[in-house]
Amino acid sequence: MRKQLLTLFLALFSIQAFSQGIISGRIFNPVNNEPVPFANVLVLETEFGAISNEDGFYEIKNVPPGLYNVRASFVGYKTATAYEVQVTLARPVQLDFELQEDASELSEVVVSSEFSRSEETPLSVRKLNSNEIERYPGGNRDISRVIQSLPGVASTASFRNDIIIRGGAPNENKFFVDEIEVPVINHFATQGSSGGPVGILNVNLIKNVDLIAGGFPANRMDAMSSFFEFTLKEGRRDKMATQLTLGASELTLSNEGPIGEKTTYLVSARRSYLQGLFRLIGLPFLPTFNDFQVKTTTKLNDKTELTFIGVGAIDNFVLNQDVPDEETADERADRLYLLDVLPIQSQWNYATGLKLKRFRENGYWTFILSRNMLNNESYKYAGNDESSEDNLLFRYVSQESENKFRAENSIFGKGYTLKYGVNYQYSRYFINNFDRSTLAASGQIIDIESTSNFNQYGAFISGSKNFSNDRLLVTGGIRMDGADFAETASNPLNQISPRVSFSYQLKPNLYATANAGIYYQKPAYTVLGFQDNDGVLVNEENDVRFIRNSQLIAGIELLVPEKNRRFTAEAFYKRYSNYPSSIRNGIALANLGADFGVIGNEPVESNAEGKAYGIEFLAQQRLFNNFYGIAALTLVRSEFTNPNTEGFVPSSWDNRFIVSLTAGKRFGKNWEIGARWRFLGGTPYTPFDVEESSLISNWDLRGQPILDFTQINAIRLPAFHQLDLRIDKKYFFENWNLNWYVDIQNAYNFQAEQAPLLVPVRDDAGNILVDTNDPSRYQLRFLQNTAGTLLPTVGIIVEF
């Protein structure tokens, strides 16, 4: 028996010690899809390399398992580098390179950059690859959390994934997957905003992600703070492969491979068991989520490529009324308060799309047809007693669906590019809303069922040109958008969006950049489709408008390609106008969105203004000598006007000071350790109106306190900081790989102070006590509200 075990051990050891991996792929020109023959491919800091054949294919054999940077180059083309390529024994690495022709014709002033700089977006672009996303400390393989390491990006101290870019609200971001818009990327998303506790996208399928925080290209529309461009991997062309991920809260299965000679596929499905964990620790709410993704790529011929994607999620949120065995008086008050406030919710959404790309010698046409839908349902009974409809506080059912078409033509000439295109969108918004709590003070009941349809249309043209011996790059564009949701918005001439960017090469690898632009975004469908009890589209009558945002950006960028380093500094100024404000509460909707529920389902006027300005610094070290890191510092102010206040007041996203430090080190035998530390200045909040909240008539109909909007964001919370740690260990075997990791969020258990809760005082039986001095009021008290707990996660990833 000992001899057999020794033989097995030696066999496993020999597999890891002497078996080798393979890197293979295709090198092509992305302008015309033609192969680049005889290009050099090098595994940096090794002796391994290869040359592509006449069809652009290459293969590098005998590469030991590990993490490498791989570079492809050819005379007359810009060098491309793929960072952190994981080589294993289970299967060859499929690594394709896009090499763009260098218009400079080997001019001495142009130095190839190891950090991709796009002519269309020469500034405010941050990039992350799949390996950076997967191993990010505290991210738990969730792309929305990983993005928080980048400059200009803030987050909330709670467990939500709200993405706040340069002082803008979470609903000012747009997400594209392989150029197809996916409006919802988080489970339990807040309708009319974004965010949620868990991301939908499976990082196993993501090749890279670009965050464009300013200087937006003209072919992107309907956002004011950022665009996220997710690129999914292409399915394997050689054979089927599977990945199984077992985490603390979910199980994920991914599969990829060929379907015939012309088509490849990727597919992923995830099932959570988070509700079991929440029940075990006695939380009063039990969330369940499921999601799926699919991508197929079909090479119809050498010049035509068809891509299909599908993304979807199913979410359910129920209450847990079990009483924990042991709880303090404050824990009991907190639990009963949440049970009184939280609704029972279900939500599902999907996005599907087809992209047809038709290449020619000097460019390509892109045609995109897509559809997405969000179904959101919730209800709440007083005291959670569903035995009688008289106890119903509200019932909300809403659907948003969009059908979109976009056509773009990209032309690439010597030293210039030109793009133009058109887009059209048909949308349907349905709502069935019964609500006796929102307007309780006025004695009104909301009872609405309606369907609204909207058309949106737009066109753009943009171009870029090199001057001054290619030292100066000028990029400009203009687009117009219109929609029939109101009179002013229906005329595209009212939404003309010019933009221009400059990038000047001061010396090799040192660039000065600048941008100016005007951008528009339509309000949420909850605003556009809001009707009163008489069936009148109230906000159409109020001539609600596209929100306008004017931006100025200036920066400097230094690249150190030989050490994979990048340093940037950018100053920005954003000025908002036509922002919707609530007629009921007298506040700008820009201050809402970092909570569950629905934003904008009310009458508004487009009369609020805002501004956000600041400066951000970035120092990034891509993998070099087994070390990587990102240091980001942002100083930002975010302010808005409100009809209830005079002048500008801090917005709900006014962090003022944001620091994110991330670093990691790879050790021998495939061990890796990473850490992230975040610091965010405290955000302001609006206090409760104790007098109005304590009235029995108000509390019984609302079940929660009323905010005092005359003191909008008058109080500021203390600063928030958190340390996250991660340990990874990989094993490579002949036909499969094993990776286990430990991810520790909030390692020193920092308790972030949040706005205090205003809760009723109860007797031992749980009944709310009446104020003895005023029988028309309940007794209320403030309860300290903190967020943050030490949260270790163990995960296992198996590939075969």
Side-chain angles (χ1 to χ4, degrees):
M1 184 64 179
R2 287 183 178 179
K3 185 175 181 180
Q4 291 173 334
L5 290 174
L6 180 61
T7 301
L8 177 61
F9 173 79
L10 291 175
L12 290 175
F13 176 78
S14 64
I15 288 172
Q16 294 198 68
F18 302 109
S19 295
Q20 307 298 311
I22 297 173
I23 303 175
S24 63
R26 178 174 179 257
I27 304 176
F28 62 98
N29 185 336
V31 170
N32 51 30
N33 204 37
E34 293 181 356
V36 180
F38 314 119
N40 294 306
V41 186
L42 298 176
V43 182
L44 300 182
E45 301 183 36
T46 75
E47 298 178 352
F48 298 101
I51 297 177
S52 61
N53 63 20
E54 293 182 352
D55 297 320
F57 289 96
Y58 73 94
E59 183 177 75
I60 305 175
K61 297 182 178 179
N62 303 318
V63 182
L67 205 59
Y68 301 95
N69 298 331
V70 184
R71 177 185 299 166
S73 61
F74 188 64
V75 175
Y77 288 80
K78 296 179 181 179
T79 298
T81 302
Y83 293 93
E84 304 189 25
V85 177
Q86 182 67 65
V87 177
T88 72
L89 307 177
R91 60 193 185 202
V93 175
Q94 182 173 290
L95 183 62
D96 297 341
F97 284 96
E98 297 180 359
L99 291 190
Q100 296 181 340
E101 291 186 70
D102 193 342
S104 66
E105 295 183 341
L106 306 181
S107 171
E108 292 182 1
V109 300
V110 176
V111 179
S112 174
S113 166
E114 301 299 340
F115 291 86
S116 300
R117 305 183 79 252
S118 167
E119 290 185 354
E120 199 169 19
T121 52
L123 77 170
S124 300
V125 177
R126 318 300 184 192
K127 296 176 178 287
L128 293 170
N129 62 36
S130 59
N131 235 54
E132 290 174 307
I133 297 169
E134 285 197 43
R135 56 108 195 278
Y136 183 75
N140 200 18
R141 299 167 53 80
D142 188 334
I143 182 62
S144 297
R145 296 185 182 275
V146 175
I147 291 165
Q148 296 169 8
S149 67
L150 300 177
V153 183
S155 60
T156 55
S158 64
F159 56 89
R160 287 173 53 87
N161 279 350
D162 298 291
I163 301 172
I164 301 154
I165 308 290
R166 292 180 171 178
N171 64 349
E172 296 176 16
N173 310 307
K174 274 286 189 296
F175 310 98
F176 290 81
V177 177
D178 284 333
E179 299 185 72
I180 297 169
E181 185 179 345
V182 177
V184 179
I185 66 164
N186 284 294
H187 291 281
F188 303 103
T190 300
Q191 191 175 0
S193 183
S194 66
V198 181
I200 290 175
L201 300 179
N202 181 0
V203 300
N204 297 342
L205 277 58
I206 297 175
K207 180 180 179 181
N208 53 60
V209 57
D210 291 356
L211 164 60
I212 307 173
F216 307 134
N219 67 337
R220 293 291 182 257
M221 74 295 289
D222 220 16
M224 300 180 296
S225 279
S226 76
F227 290 91
F228 287 84
E229 303 281 353
F230 297 93
T231 303
L232 300 185
K233 301 173 184 176
E234 186 177 325
R236 296 197 63 81
R237 296 185 287 263
D238 52 358
K239 63 178 182 178
M240 183 185 296
T242 302
Q243 185 178 71
L244 179 68
T245 303
L246 179 65
S249 60
E250 72 269 347
L251 175 67
T252 307
L253 180 66
S254 308
N255 185 263
E256 61 177 306
I259 307 175
E261 295 182 357
K262 295 184 176 182
T263 303
T264 62
Y265 74 91
L266 289 169
V267 65
S268 167
R270 175 167 56 170
R271 168 70 176 176
S272 79
Y273 40 85
L274 194 64
Q275 68 279 8
L277 175 63
F278 279 26
R279 186 182 293 276
L280 184 65
I281 61 180
L283 292 180
F285 48 90
L286 304 175
T288 303
F289 60 86
N290 306 271
D291 56 54
F292 66 87
Q293 293 169 71
V294 62
K295 174 183 177 179
T296 64
T297 306
T298 303
K299 313 288 185 181
L300 299 175
N301 54 51
D302 291 342
K303 293 296 184 180
T304 311
E305 181 178 289
L306 180 67
T307 301
F308 168 79
I309 70 159
V311 179
I314 302 173
D315 306 327
N316 289 290
F317 185 97
V318 299
L319 299 180
N320 176 21
Q321 300 196 51
D322 295 341
V323 179
D325 294 334
E326 296 180 5
E327 63 178 351
T328 65
D330 282 354
E331 289 173 341
R332 179 171 179 266
D334 190 15
R335 178 177 60 83
L336 292 175
Y337 171 79
L338 290 176
L339 287 174
D340 280 346
V341 170
L342 293 175
I344 294 175
Q345 181 180 7
S346 63
Q347 187 178 101
W348 55 261
N349 67 84
Y350 68 82
T352 61
L354 283 169
K355 179 178 71 173
L356 181 69
K357 207 165 188 177
R358 177 64 180 172
F359 294 92
R360 58 182 185 276
E361 188 61 32
N362 68 334
Y364 48 83
W365 275 96
T366 305
F367 302 95
I368 295 177
L369 183 65
S370 66
R371 174 178 171 81
N372 61 75
M373 187 170 182
L374 168 67
N375 185 89
N376 192 17
E377 302 181 25
S378 61
Y379 66 87
K380 186 66 178 179
Y381 285 82
N384 299 309
D385 181 5
E386 302 182 19
S387 61
S388 172
E389 289 299 301
D390 293 338
N391 297 326
L392 181 65
L393 296 177
F394 71 84
R395 178 180 287 112
Y396 178 87
V397 179
S398 176
Q399 292 181 345
E400 300 177 4
S401 60
E402 298 176 327
N403 302 279
K404 303 180 180 182
F405 173 74
R406 195 167 84 244
E408 299 178 4
N409 187 17
S410 302
I411 303 169
F412 299 85
K414 188 174 181 180
Y416 74 91
T417 62
L418 177 67
K419 290 187 177 183
Y420 61 87
V422 295
N423 62 277
Y424 170 75
Q425 175 178 311
Y426 171 75
S427 308
R428 173 184 176 271
Y429 175 72
F430 167 79
I431 182 171
N432 185 338
N433 187 24
F434 175 85
D435 188 339
R436 70 168 81 240
S437 60
T438 299
L439 302 180
S442 62
Q444 299 181 51
I445 294 177
I446 298 173
D447 192 359
I448 299 171
E449 180 173 344
S450 67
T451 300
S452 306
N453 299 290
F454 305 102
N455 297 278
Q456 186 173 340
Y457 32 87
F460 80 93
I461 184 170
S462 65
S464 62
K465 184 75 171 70
N466 288 293
F467 298 93
S468 185
N469 199 23
D470 290 336
R471 300 180 76 99
L472 174 65
L473 171 66
V474 179
T475 302
I478 189 170
R479 69 169 297 115
M480 294 189 299
D481 291 285
D484 60 1
F485 57 76
E487 182 179 356
T488 300
S490 63
N491 185 353
L493 296 178
N494 293 326
Q495 289 86 226
I496 297 178
S497 307
R499 68 222 42 206
V500 62
S501 298
F502 302 92
S503 176
Y504 186 75
Q505 189 179 51
L506 302 172
K507 60 172 66 176
N509 297 317
L510 180 63
Y511 301 86
T513 56
N515 165 264
I518 299 173
Y519 312 104
Y520 287 91
Q521 179 178 333
K522 71 175 182 295
Y525 287 113
T526 50
V527 170
L528 304 183
F530 174 75
Q531 297 187 14
D532 62 19
N533 288 343
D534 297 324
V536 176
L537 282 169
V538 175
N539 295 324
E540 179 183 10
E541 295 290 316
N542 293 339
D543 195 25
V544 64
R545 304 187 179 191
F546 277 87
I547 308 168
R548 188 177 191 267
N549 184 219
S550 304
Q551 294 190 17
L552 294 172
I553 306 171
I556 193 166
E557 178 181 27
L558 173 65
L559 304 171
V560 187
E562 63 274 11
K563 294 186 178 180
N564 302 346
R565 291 175 185 166
R566 180 191 193 194
F567 302 91
T568 67
E570 286 189 1
F572 59 89
Y573 180 84
K574 305 196 298 186
R575 184 64 186 246
Y576 296 88
S577 58
N578 299 340
Y579 221 109
S581 69
S582 168
I583 294 176
R584 293 174 184 165
N585 300 322
I587 64 166
L589 298 192
N591 286 308
L592 304 177
D595 202 352
F596 301 102
V598 177
I599 302 301
N601 186 34
E602 59 180 309
V604 303
E605 291 184 341
S606 296
N607 60 357
E609 298 181 354
K611 56 184 177 181
Y613 52 94
I615 187 169
E616 58 186 37
F617 303 91
L618 169 71
Q620 183 176 7
Q621 171 70 71
R622 280 252 168 90
L623 184 67
F624 184 75
N625 289 336
N626 290 318
F627 174 81
Y628 62 87
I630 298 177
L633 167 64
T634 303
L635 305 176
V636 61
R637 295 291 297 269
S638 176
E639 301 170 328
F640 272 85
T641 63
N642 301 276
N644 278 353
T645 61
E646 293 184 4
F648 288 89
V649 299
S651 79
S652 298
W653 325 110
D654 185 43
N655 288 97
R656 299 195 174 183
F657 194 77
I658 308 168
V659 179
S660 179
L661 304 175
T662 307
K665 174 71 175 176
R666 292 182 56 83
F667 299 92
K669 299 182 179 181
N670 300 306
W671 285 91
E672 182 174 332
I673 297 178
R676 176 188 70 162
W677 185 73
R678 284 187 300 154
F679 180 95
L680 288 87
T683 52
Y685 70 92
T686 303
F688 292 116
D689 187 331
V690 179
E691 291 297 311
E692 287 293 318
S693 300
S694 64
L695 288 172
I696 294 177
S697 56
N698 284 339
W699 192 276
D700 284 349
L701 283 172
R702 298 175 60 90
Q704 56 186 306
I706 298 171
L707 293 172
D708 182 2
F709 288 114
T710 63
Q711 300 186 64
I712 179 74
N713 292 333
I715 306 175
R716 187 174 293 271
L717 294 169
F720 159 80
H721 50 89
Q722 179 172 309
L723 174 67
D724 304 320
L725 303 172
R726 180 168 171 128
I727 301 174
D728 279 85
K729 169 62 176 169
K730 292 181 172 65
Y731 302 87
F732 304 110
F733 302 105
E734 184 68 38
N735 296 311
W736 63 289
N737 308 318
L738 173 65
N739 172 204
W740 63 260
Y741 65 89
V742 177
D743 191 291
I744 304 173
Q745 298 180 41
N746 197 14
Y748 50 72
N749 197 27
F750 177 76
Q751 301 294 302
E753 184 178 335
Q754 299 194 99
L757 303 176
L758 184 61
V759 303
V761 179
R762 300 175 185 267
D763 60 21
D764 293 339
N767 300 310
I768 302 177
L769 298 180
V770 176
D771 190 339
T772 55
N773 297 320
D774 187 348
S776 67
R777 300 180 184 277
Y778 283 132
Q779 294 184 37
L780 303 181
R781 69 185 181 97
F782 283 99
L783 187 67
Q784 185 179 12
N785 183 20
T786 59
T789 183
L790 175 66
L791 185 60
T793 301
V794 178
I796 299 174
I797 305 171
V798 180
E799 296 179 280
F800 53 91

